[in-house]
Amino acid sequence: MGLILFSYMDAHPTFDRLFAQAMDSVENLTGTAFLDDFNWGAFQRVIDVGGSRGHKALSILKAHPHLRAVVFDRPQVIAEASTAWQGKVAADVLERVTFQAGDILESIPSADSDEDVYAFSAIFHGLSDADSRRLLLNLKHACGEKRPWVLIGDAVLAEMQVDSTLASFDMQMLIGTAGRERTLSEWQQLLAGSGFTLVKVLDVRTFAKCLVLRRE
């Protein structure tokens, strides 16, 4: 992805696997509240960008038998994800998920229809503003003439008051990835001219928010 952290993981497979396991642990800690916090059943396909080994996407598929999913992440992650769930997840669920490798700063999976939803869970806070805009441009190209929905799960800082927890995340992102947490006005500035409209900001049962976007 062109970032210091991910470049390091590309060159250190053991650390890379530990990071993927840590992402699975985060999913276990936060539970399945995300299944009820957003109406996943309104769509036909979920494109989980930066979805690690697919833990979240598979949970969504289990809850919504009509859904399909694409899990998109770095090649090393996807190489393990494609076999990690064999014998652990029902075959009919695995049949509805596709694991695809790539670089989010190069391109992401294309939308099939207006009933697709792109999910970015804790992705943008690991990116600088410049790389975030590059990702948004790739997303616009992936949409083509389609008008899918976009869900960004990330923190939204208060404009004035300081939240110590979010401030610590902000510092971690700055040190580890050159990314940052953003206020709502900073999100709006980032999205300006991107081709996407911020429809609403949803409260969810974690420290983050869900920014719901629609292709213009």
Side-chain angles (χ1 to χ4, degrees):
M1 295 185 185
L3 304 175
I4 294 173
L5 174 61
F6 295 103
S7 296
Y8 180 87
M9 290 195 294
D10 287 343
H12 297 80
T14 300
F15 183 83
D16 199 12
R17 285 192 291 272
L18 287 173
F19 185 85
Q21 291 169 7
M23 294 302 98
D24 290 344
S25 297
V26 170
E27 300 290 353
N28 291 331
L29 287 172
T30 56
T32 57
F34 67 89
L35 293 174
D36 299 320
D37 287 337
F38 186 70
N39 185 17
W40 301 100
F43 305 95
Q44 292 298 318
R45 189 175 68 143
V46 178
I47 303 171
D48 191 0
V49 180
S52 189
R53 296 192 291 189
H55 187 281
K56 179 169 288 186
L58 290 170
S59 295
I60 295 170
L61 295 187
K62 290 175 186 176
H64 300 283
H66 73 283
L67 274 175
R68 295 176 295 118
V70 176
V71 175
F72 183 81
D73 213 303
R74 294 176 299 115
Q76 294 92 327
V77 177
I78 293 302
E80 290 195 3
S82 59
T83 58
W85 302 105
Q86 297 296 328
K88 299 178 182 178
V89 174
D92 64 309
V93 174
L94 289 178
E95 288 173 356
R96 291 185 281 122
V97 63
T98 300
F99 294 96
Q100 184 173 335
D103 183 335
I104 62 172
L105 296 183
E106 296 297 330
S107 65
I108 61 176
S110 298
D112 282 348
S113 75
D114 295 354
E115 295 181 327
D116 281 350
V117 57
Y118 283 90
F120 296 85
S121 182
I123 301 300
F124 280 88
H125 78 160
L127 300 175
S128 66
D129 285 354
D131 282 340
S132 292
R133 291 189 178 95
R134 185 175 174 184
L135 175 54
L136 287 168
L137 181 61
N138 291 341
L139 176 60
K140 182 179 179 180
H141 289 161
C143 291
E145 298 301 316
K146 306 294 192 301
R147 296 187 67 240
W149 293 81
V150 179
L151 181 68
I152 297 177
D154 247 318
V156 177
L157 300 178
E159 298 290 344
M160 298 295 292
Q161 298 176 333
V162 175
D163 181 299
S164 59
T165 299
L166 296 183
S168 69
F169 291 156
D170 192 26
M171 185 59 67
Q172 290 174 36
M173 292 303 103
L174 175 63
I175 294 172
T177 68
R180 57 183 298 194
E181 308 296 353
R182 297 174 173 90
T183 64
L184 182 57
S185 62
E186 288 171 333
W187 278 109
Q188 291 168 331
Q189 291 172 14
L190 189 65
L191 294 169
S194 67
F196 297 90
T197 299
L198 177 60
V199 177
K200 63 176 67 175
V201 178
L202 298 176
D203 289 323
V204 295
R205 283 166 283 181
T206 70
F207 67 88
K209 304 282 187 182
C210 284
L211 288 80
V212 182
L213 316 180
R214 188 78 191 274
R215 178 78 166 86
E216 294 175 354

